Amino acid sequence: MNTLVKLFIDAILDENSNRTIDDVPPSIRNKVEAGLEKHYEKLKADSDAH
């Protein structure tokens, strides 16, 4: 995963950050959205397992 993509994903997920998907440049927005989807799918799978 591209470092810039990871930085945006981390910033969006950070509760202390005001970053949103709207702050992501259009050129990498699809990659950031895909990374966020994977993150949320993993969280859901983890919660379903418990």
Side-chain angles (χ1 to χ4, degrees), residues 9-42:
I9 291 171
D10 291 345
I12 290 169
L13 294 173
D14 184 351
E15 293 177 6
N16 297 317
S17 171
N18 292 327
R19 292 269 184 212
T20 68
I21 195 68
D22 295 330
D23 298 320
V24 179
S27 60
I28 62 169
R29 189 169 291 164
N30 287 342
K31 291 179 182 180
V32 172
E33 287 175 343
L36 288 169
E37 286 177 18
K38 285 183 182 180
H39 172 79
Y40 291 123
E41 287 172 5
K42 184 174 186 287

